[in-house]
Coordinates of all heavy atoms in Angstrom, one line a residue:
G136 N -20.4 -11.0 0.3 CA -20.3 -10.3 -0.9 C -19.2 -9.2 -0.8 O -18.3 -9.1 0.1
D137 N -19.1 -8.5 -1.9 CA -18.0 -7.5 -2.0 C -18.3 -6.1 -1.4 O -19.5 -5.8 -1.0 CB -17.7 -7.4 -3.5 CG -16.5 -6.6 -3.9 OD1 -15.6 -6.4 -2.9 OD2 -16.1 -6.4 -5.0
N138 N -17.4 -5.3 -1.2 CA -17.7 -3.9 -0.9 C -18.7 -3.7 0.4 O -19.5 -3.0 0.3 CB -18.1 -3.0 -2.1 CG -16.9 -2.6 -2.8 OD1 -15.8 -2.5 -2.4 ND2 -17.2 -2.1 -4.2
N139 N -18.2 -4.4 1.4 CA -19.1 -4.1 2.6 C -19.2 -2.6 3.1 O -18.3 -1.8 3.0 CB -18.5 -4.9 3.9 CG -17.1 -4.8 4.1 OD1 -16.3 -5.5 3.4 ND2 -16.7 -3.8 5.0
D140 N -20.4 -2.3 3.4 CA -20.8 -0.9 3.8 C -21.4 -0.9 5.1 O -21.1 -1.5 6.1 CB -21.5 -0.2 2.7 CG -21.3 1.2 2.6 OD1 -21.5 2.0 3.7 OD2 -21.0 1.8 1.7
G141 N -22.6 -0.3 5.2 CA -23.3 -0.2 6.4 C -23.6 -1.6 7.0 O -23.8 -2.6 6.4
V155 N -24.7 -7.1 7.0 CA -23.8 -6.2 6.3 C -24.3 -5.9 5.0 O -24.5 -6.9 4.1 CB -22.4 -6.8 6.3 CG1 -21.4 -5.8 5.8 CG2 -22.0 -7.5 7.5
N156 N -24.4 -4.7 4.6 CA -24.5 -4.4 3.2 C -23.3 -4.8 2.3 O -22.2 -4.3 2.7 CB -24.8 -2.9 3.0 CG -26.1 -2.4 3.5 OD1 -27.1 -3.3 3.7 ND2 -26.5 -1.2 3.7
N157 N -23.6 -5.3 1.1 CA -22.4 -5.5 0.2 C -22.9 -4.5 -1.0 O -23.6 -4.9 -1.9 CB -22.4 -6.8 -0.5 CG -21.9 -7.8 0.9 OD1 -22.6 -8.5 1.3 ND2 -20.8 -7.7 1.3
E158 N -22.4 -3.2 -1.0 CA -22.7 -2.3 -1.8 C -22.7 -2.5 -3.4 O -23.7 -2.4 -4.1 CB -22.1 -0.8 -1.5 CG -22.8 0.3 -2.2 CD -21.9 1.6 -1.8 OE1 -20.8 1.5 -1.5 OE2 -22.7 2.5 -2.0
Y159 N -21.4 -2.6 -3.7 CA -21.3 -2.9 -5.1 C -20.1 -3.8 -5.3 O -19.6 -4.3 -4.3 CB -21.1 -1.6 -6.0 CG -20.0 -0.7 -5.6 CD1 -18.8 -0.7 -6.5 CD2 -19.9 -0.1 -4.4 CE1 -17.8 0.1 -6.1 CE2 -18.9 0.8 -4.2 CZ -17.7 0.9 -5.0 OH -16.6 1.6 -4.7
C160 N -19.6 -4.1 -6.5 CA -18.4 -4.9 -6.7 C -17.3 -4.1 -7.4 O -17.6 -3.2 -8.3 CB -18.6 -6.1 -7.4 SG -19.3 -6.1 -9.0
S186 N -22.5 -10.8 -5.7 CA -21.7 -10.1 -4.8 C -22.3 -8.8 -4.2 O -21.6 -8.2 -3.3 CB -20.4 -9.6 -5.5 OG -20.7 -8.6 -6.4
H187 N -23.5 -8.5 -4.7 CA -24.2 -7.5 -4.1 C -25.4 -7.9 -3.1 O -25.7 -9.0 -3.2 CB -25.0 -6.7 -5.3 CG -24.2 -6.0 -6.3 ND1 -23.2 -6.5 -7.1 CD2 -24.3 -4.5 -6.5 CE1 -22.7 -5.5 -7.8 NE2 -23.3 -4.3 -7.5
G188 N -25.8 -6.9 -2.4 CA -27.0 -7.2 -1.6 C -26.7 -7.0 0.0 O -26.0 -6.2 0.3
V189 N -27.1 -8.0 0.6 CA -26.9 -8.0 2.1 C -26.4 -9.4 2.6 O -27.2 -10.4 2.2 CB -28.1 -7.6 2.9 CG1 -27.9 -7.6 4.4 CG2 -28.7 -6.2 2.4
T245 N -32.2 -6.6 -4.3 CA -31.8 -5.3 -3.7 C -30.2 -5.1 -4.0 O -29.5 -6.1 -3.7 CB -32.1 -5.1 -2.2 OG1 -31.8 -3.8 -1.7 CG2 -31.5 -6.2 -1.4
F246 N -29.8 -3.9 -4.4 CA -28.4 -3.8 -4.8 C -28.1 -2.3 -4.5 O -28.8 -1.5 -4.5 CB -28.1 -4.3 -6.1 CG -29.2 -4.0 -7.2 CD1 -29.1 -2.7 -7.9 CD2 -30.2 -4.8 -7.5 CE1 -30.1 -2.4 -8.8 CE2 -31.2 -4.5 -8.5 CZ -31.2 -3.3 -9.2
N247 N -26.8 -2.2 -4.5 CA -26.1 -0.8 -4.1 C -26.7 -0.3 -2.9 O -27.0 0.9 -2.8 CB -26.3 0.1 -5.3 CG -25.1 1.0 -5.5 OD1 -25.0 1.9 -4.7 ND2 -24.1 0.8 -6.3
N248 N -26.6 -1.2 -1.9 CA -27.1 -0.7 -0.5 C -25.8 -0.1 0.2 O -24.9 -0.7 0.4 CB -27.6 -1.8 0.3 CG -29.0 -2.3 -0.2 OD1 -29.9 -1.5 0.1 ND2 -29.0 -3.4 -0.9
C249 N -26.0 1.1 0.5 CA -24.9 2.0 1.1 C -24.8 1.9 2.6 O -24.6 0.9 3.2 CB -25.0 3.4 0.5 SG -23.5 4.3 0.7
G250 N -25.4 3.0 3.3 CA -25.5 3.0 4.7 C -26.6 2.1 5.1 O -27.3 1.5 4.2
C262 N -30.3 0.3 2.4 CA -30.6 1.5 1.8 C -30.0 1.6 0.4 O -28.8 1.7 0.2 CB -30.1 2.7 2.7 SG -30.5 2.6 4.4
E264 N -28.8 2.8 -2.8 CA -28.2 4.1 -3.4 C -28.2 4.1 -4.9 O -29.2 4.4 -5.5 CB -26.8 4.3 -2.7 CG -26.4 5.7 -2.9 CD -25.0 5.8 -2.3 OE1 -24.3 5.0 -2.2 OE2 -24.6 7.1 -1.9
N265 N -27.0 3.8 -5.6 CA -27.0 4.2 -6.9 C -27.4 3.0 -7.7 O -26.8 2.4 -8.5 CB -25.4 4.3 -7.3 CG -25.0 5.6 -6.6 OD1 -25.5 6.6 -7.0 ND2 -24.1 5.6 -5.7
Y269 N -27.2 -0.1 -12.9 CA -27.4 -1.4 -13.4 C -28.3 -1.5 -14.6 O -28.5 -2.7 -15.1 CB -27.9 -2.3 -12.2 CG -26.9 -2.2 -11.0 CD1 -26.9 -1.1 -10.2 CD2 -25.8 -3.0 -10.8 CE1 -26.0 -0.9 -9.1 CE2 -24.9 -2.9 -9.9 CZ -25.0 -1.8 -8.9 OH -24.1 -1.7 -8.0
Y296 N -21.4 -3.3 -15.3 CA -22.0 -4.5 -14.5 C -22.4 -5.5 -15.4 O -22.4 -6.7 -15.2 CB -22.9 -4.1 -13.5 CG -22.4 -3.2 -12.4 CD1 -22.7 -1.9 -12.4 CD2 -21.6 -3.7 -11.3 CE1 -22.3 -1.0 -11.4 CE2 -21.2 -2.8 -10.4 CZ -21.6 -1.5 -10.4 OH -21.2 -0.7 -9.3
W298 N -25.4 -6.5 -16.2 CA -26.4 -7.5 -15.7 C -27.4 -7.8 -16.7 O -28.0 -8.9 -16.8 CB -27.1 -6.9 -14.4 CG -26.2 -7.0 -13.3 CD1 -24.8 -7.2 -13.3 CD2 -26.6 -6.7 -11.9 NE1 -24.4 -7.1 -11.9 CE2 -25.3 -6.7 -11.1 CE3 -27.8 -6.3 -11.2 CZ2 -25.3 -6.6 -9.7 CZ3 -27.8 -6.2 -9.8 CH2 -26.6 -6.2 -9.1
H343 N -30.5 6.5 -1.7 CA -30.5 6.6 -0.1 C -29.0 6.3 0.4 O -28.4 5.4 -0.1 CB -31.3 5.4 0.4 CG -32.9 5.5 0.3 ND1 -33.4 6.4 1.2 CD2 -33.8 5.3 -0.6 CE1 -34.7 6.4 1.0 NE2 -34.9 5.8 -0.2
E344 N -28.8 7.1 1.4 CA -27.5 6.7 2.0 C -27.8 5.9 3.2 O -27.7 4.6 3.2 CB -26.9 8.1 2.4 CG -25.5 8.0 3.2 CD -24.5 7.4 2.1 OE1 -24.6 7.7 0.8 OE2 -23.4 6.8 2.5
D363 N -27.9 10.9 -1.5 CA -26.4 11.2 -1.9 C -26.2 11.5 -3.3 O -25.7 10.5 -4.1 CB -25.5 10.1 -1.4 CG -24.1 10.5 -1.7 OD1 -23.7 11.7 -2.1 OD2 -23.2 9.6 -1.6
E440 N -24.9 12.5 3.1 CA -24.6 11.0 3.4 C -25.2 10.6 4.6 O -26.4 10.9 4.9 CB -23.1 10.9 3.5 CG -22.4 11.4 2.1 CD -21.9 10.3 1.3 OE1 -22.3 9.1 1.4 OE2 -20.9 10.5 0.4
D532 N -18.5 10.9 5.6 CA -19.5 10.0 5.0 C -20.3 9.3 6.0 O -21.4 9.7 6.4 CB -18.8 9.1 4.0 CG -19.7 8.2 3.2 OD1 -20.9 8.1 3.5 OD2 -19.4 7.8 2.0
D547 N -14.7 9.1 3.1 CA -14.6 8.5 1.8 C -14.2 9.6 0.9 O -15.1 10.2 0.2 CB -16.1 8.0 1.4 CG -16.2 7.7 0.0 OD1 -15.1 7.3 -0.7 OD2 -17.4 7.7 -0.6
E585 N -12.1 3.2 1.5 CA -12.8 4.1 2.3 C -13.2 3.4 3.5 O -13.3 2.2 3.6 CB -14.1 4.5 1.4 CG -15.4 4.0 1.9 CD -16.6 4.4 1.0 OE1 -16.4 4.4 -0.2 OE2 -17.6 4.6 1.6
T587 N -16.2 2.6 6.1 CA -17.5 2.8 6.1 C -18.2 1.6 6.9 O -17.9 0.4 6.6 CB -18.2 3.0 4.7 OG1 -19.6 3.2 4.9 CG2 -18.0 1.9 3.8
Q603 N -13.8 -0.6 2.9 CA -14.2 -0.9 1.6 C -13.4 -0.5 0.6 O -12.6 0.4 0.7 CB -15.6 -0.1 1.5 CG -16.5 -0.6 0.4 CD -17.6 0.4 0.0 OE1 -17.3 1.6 -0.4 NE2 -18.9 -0.1 -0.1
H604 N -13.4 -1.3 -0.5 CA -12.6 -1.1 -1.7 C -11.1 -0.8 -1.6 O -10.6 0.1 -2.2 CB -13.2 -0.3 -2.8 CG -13.5 1.2 -2.3 ND1 -12.5 2.2 -2.1 CD2 -14.6 1.9 -2.1 CE1 -12.9 3.3 -1.8 NE2 -14.2 3.2 -1.8

Side-chain angles (χ1 to χ4, degrees):
D137 198 5
N138 274 342
N139 48 274
D140 206 307
V155 192
N156 289 344
N157 295 114
E158 188 183 23
Y159 64 104
C160 61
S186 74
H187 286 64
V189 182
T245 182
F246 40 86
N247 214 287
N248 288 285
C249 193
C262 310
E264 192 185 22
N265 292 301
Y269 302 84
Y296 296 107
W298 291 7
H343 284 280
E344 187 67 27
D363 178 14
E440 302 255 24
D532 184 338
D547 170 22
E585 107 182 42
T587 183
Q603 196 194 54
H604 62 66

